[in-house]
Amino acid sequence: MQEQDDLITRAQAWLAEDPDPETAAELAALIDAGDTAELADRFAGTLQFGTAGLRGEIGAGPMRMNRGVVIRAAAGLAAYLKAQGHAGGLVVVGYDARYKSADFARDTAAVMTGAGLRAAVLPRPLPTPVLAYAIRHLGAVAGVEVTASHNPPRDNGYKVYLGDGSQIVSPADAEIAAEIARVDTLASVPRPESGWEELGDGVLEAYLARTDAVLTPGSARGVRTVYTAMHGVGKDVVLAAFARAGFPAPVLVAEQAEPDPAFPTVAFPNPEEPGAMDLAFAKAAEVNPDIVIANDPDADRCAVAVPTEDGWRMLRGDEVGALLAAHLVHKGARGVFAESIVSSSLLGRIAEAAGVGYEETLTGFKWIARVEGLRYGYEEALGYCVDPEGVRDKDGVTAALLVAELASELKEQGRTLTDLLDDLAMAHGLHATDQLSVRVSDLSVIASAMAALRAQPPVSLAGLRVVSAEDLTQGTETLPPTDGLRYYLEGDYKARVIVRPSGTEPKLKCYLEVVVPVPEASDLASARTRGQEILDAIKKDLAAAAGI
């Protein structure tokens, strides 16, 4: 009984200072109903601030995304910036079109202003890469993007960048979290009604002018595209970028063209999810373009689909990553090509053959963007950094432009993206990749699976002996510690498996790769079949070993 009384007391204290009438009414209803199970879930702790910032379901209480949580996060960030010697510095705030995004952006600007920093808010919901660009363009000390990227509709998030234009990494995340924990009551956080700058379109115009830099002057621009914004904020910026570059205007998937936080046509607003691209493929069947391009809702990711004899096929992120790398090599790009450890090893082989630098990092562009001398970075989850001097993060707009340029050049030669993938397979082996991804409602399932694999690592997968089993929590010579497991399997297929919990969703993710030699063009079909057979067998055995 004492525990229930304490829970109600804490809920009432939170309710007393909730600045949002909607979440206040929601919490009041839970208290009145005596719904202690739901209250216990919402007050089981606080939403943890980490290298991904904050992300969670919108709702009342410290374990949800709401104005109270955001105000505390902003206050913690402001205190951290001042402790780092940035008092009076500029913080740029961007936001997407999700529920509460504009409110969270305004609260952040108010808190920064009240803390003695300067704040500037982007003029409307815009792609995340515009915010990443604006930080360096305006000489800011930090940036905040309010977005949950491709998460379900009820989620929102809070992504923090520092003045170099890169997302935060350790130890900054822990130091900001410590400052957040020191925030007492919301009343102790000054939040003036005005005093920050509402930016005009100048920053967006500067970003769009920069997008031209990824293209070769005079290159082919004739590709015909179907484009979907996936109910997000990409449409206007992508159309403007394509028009500036001289490409034919993409044909829009009208049902998904405008921002809509309900994401009514998709179960999950992520181009990788089953069914998410169905409307785009239907439009493609109608107008017969050369390629289909999709952004996720905050337009920092880019998906590509190509025609086949059986309809349209989504390219894997690893395939697009390799295509863009090959295109950049062809354009004479120098510098370092980088990818995360869960992405295909094909990039390393392309880099080696081209005589450019290569580096592997932990998962996430917060790591990739920090590679010294970076010229190109990608990871398999549809993220590509093709202009690191402009945007030190993944950018679905400039990636779309570069894909369109490559497809245009191939089209002039009577070739396709698929033809170039075949060339890469013959030059470097067919790098077949797949993923075993399990979404859970109970996070303990993920912890149990990781514990099972650590306690009893598999000795073989798909009949191939595991010759190396690494627990990445220990770190390696080249990687800092992370919660993950990596296995290498015996034989000529160079099979590799990496298992890790997702940093942004309640998912356990297992990344698989095998490399099948392709001596002749006539061997491509059988290599694909063999690669998929091995991947399927690895998936089955790995699922059994992890108890999922």
Side-chain angles (χ1 to χ4, degrees):
M1 194 63 173
Q2 178 62 40
E3 285 184 8
Q4 285 191 12
D5 290 345
D6 179 57
L7 178 61
I8 296 296
T9 300
R10 285 187 289 132
Q12 288 171 334
W14 184 276
L15 175 61
E17 61 173 15
D18 192 331
D20 187 331
E22 288 186 24
T23 50
E26 177 186 313
L27 184 54
L30 291 173
I31 295 170
D32 290 345
D35 191 342
T36 53
E38 182 66 21
L39 289 171
D41 183 52
R42 291 167 184 248
F43 286 83
T46 58
L47 210 54
Q48 291 301 299
F49 187 95
T51 53
L54 294 168
R55 198 173 289 189
E57 184 179 346
I58 294 171
M63 288 293 289
R64 299 289 188 269
M65 281 295 296
N66 52 64
R67 291 183 60 197
V69 164
V70 165
I71 289 166
R72 285 178 168 83
L77 174 60
Y80 166 82
L81 292 172
K82 290 165 74 173
Q84 296 294 310
H86 297 309
L90 175 67
V91 178
V92 190
V93 185
Y95 59 103
D96 67 10
R98 284 178 176 267
Y99 295 118
K100 304 286 184 184
S101 284
D103 294 337
F104 295 166
R106 186 183 186 281
D107 283 331
T108 299
V111 171
M112 296 300 159
T113 303
L117 292 141
R118 293 178 295 127
V121 183
L122 293 181
R124 58 186 172 279
L126 286 168
T128 292
V130 177
L131 180 277
Y133 169 82
I135 294 166
R136 299 176 71 202
H137 177 68
L138 297 174
V141 299
V144 171
E145 177 70 15
V146 180
T147 180
S149 188
H150 56 277
N151 275 39
R154 286 302 303 171
D155 286 6
N156 212 329
Y158 199 80
K159 185 185 291 190
V160 175
Y161 298 76
L162 295 181
D164 63 354
S166 300
Q167 297 175 50
I168 56 168
V169 294
S170 181
D173 58 336
E175 293 169 3
I176 295 170
E179 295 289 358
I180 294 170
R182 292 189 184 100
V183 177
D184 185 13
T185 62
L186 293 190
S188 70
V189 180
R191 286 180 287 138
E193 291 294 318
S194 61
W196 55 90
E197 181 183 0
E198 300 280 354
L199 293 167
D201 281 341
V203 169
L204 177 59
E205 286 301 319
Y207 168 81
L208 284 169
R210 178 80 200 185
T211 61
D212 297 348
V214 306
L215 303 175
T216 301
S219 63
R221 310 281 167 96
V223 73
R224 295 177 302 110
T225 305
V226 160
Y227 170 75
T228 176
M230 203 69 67
H231 298 297
V233 297
K235 182 199 72 174
D236 291 344
V237 178
V238 166
L239 290 182
F242 270 60
R244 289 178 63 99
F247 288 103
V251 176
L252 299 177
V253 178
E255 302 94 328
Q256 299 175 333
E258 300 303 327
D260 187 336
F263 302 104
T265 68
V266 290
F268 290 97
N270 178 355
E272 294 179 293
E273 293 283 348
M277 294 292 289
D278 286 356
L279 288 172
F281 293 161
K283 177 58 71 174
E286 180 185 321
V287 303
N288 194 32
D290 300 303
I291 56 173
V292 173
I293 289 177
N295 288 137
D296 66 339
D298 69 327
D300 64 350
R301 300 169 195 252
C302 176
V304 182
V306 295
T308 71
E309 293 179 357
D310 302 319
W312 286 83
R313 178 176 84 84
M314 273 277 290
L315 297 181
R316 292 187 174 277
D318 284 320
E319 292 176 307
V320 178
L323 287 169
L324 290 177
H327 186 43
L328 287 168
V329 166
H330 178 69
K331 286 157 67 82
R334 309 307 295 171
V336 178
F337 284 24
E339 64 179 340
S340 62
I341 59 173
V342 299
S343 304
S344 172
S345 59
L346 176 56
L347 183 68
R349 293 182 171 88
I350 292 171
E352 182 181 13
V356 301
Y358 170 73
E359 194 165 322
E360 268 191 331
T361 75
L362 292 184
T363 307
F365 271 82
K366 57 184 175 282
W367 299 108
I368 294 172
R370 284 182 159 74
V371 169
E372 190 171 341
L374 181 69
R375 175 58 185 87
Y376 168 63
Y378 100 91
E379 68 179 6
E380 54 73 44
L382 310 182
Y384 315 95
C385 175
V386 300
D387 177 26
E389 290 304 306
V391 175
R392 291 191 179 180
D393 198 5
K394 54 188 178 292
D395 183 346
V397 180
T398 49
L401 285 175
L402 205 59
V403 167
E405 180 184 58
L406 171 58
S408 296
E409 291 184 357
L410 291 168
K411 183 178 179 180
E412 284 199 345
Q413 302 164 20
R415 306 180 74 235
T416 66
L417 296 177
T418 305
D419 293 329
L420 181 52
L421 285 172
D422 289 348
D423 292 348
L424 292 172
M426 292 176 62
H428 306 291
L430 177 75
H431 287 63
T433 61
D434 206 346
Q435 190 178 131
L436 172 62
S437 181
V438 181
R439 184 181 293 272
V440 301
S441 55
D442 180 359
L443 290 176
S444 69
V445 173
I446 295 176
S448 297
M450 295 296 289
L453 290 170
R454 286 190 168 103
Q456 194 166 356
V459 295
S460 70
L461 295 167
L464 301 171
R465 185 168 55 89
V466 176
V467 295
S468 170
E470 295 175 279
D471 187 341
L472 298 177
T473 54
Q474 309 302 312
T476 71
E477 288 184 7
T478 57
L479 298 171
T482 188
D483 186 8
L485 302 165
R486 180 164 60 182
Y487 309 116
Y488 290 100
L489 311 186
E490 68 176 340
D492 296 333
Y493 292 120
K494 302 181 179 68
R496 183 199 70 188
V497 175
I498 295 172
V499 184
R500 59 178 284 272
S502 169
T504 57
E505 297 178 90
K507 282 183 174 181
L508 180 68
K509 290 187 170 183
C510 310
Y511 306 85
L512 326 174
E513 180 178 53
V514 298
V515 184
V516 185
V518 185
E520 304 287 344
S522 58
D523 298 314
L524 277 164
S526 60
R528 287 196 182 90
T529 300
R530 181 58 180 148
Q532 194 57 54
E533 287 172 352
I534 299 171
L535 290 172
D536 289 344
I538 291 174
K539 264 203 249 190
K540 181 179 178 182
D541 291 351
L542 186 63
I548 54 175

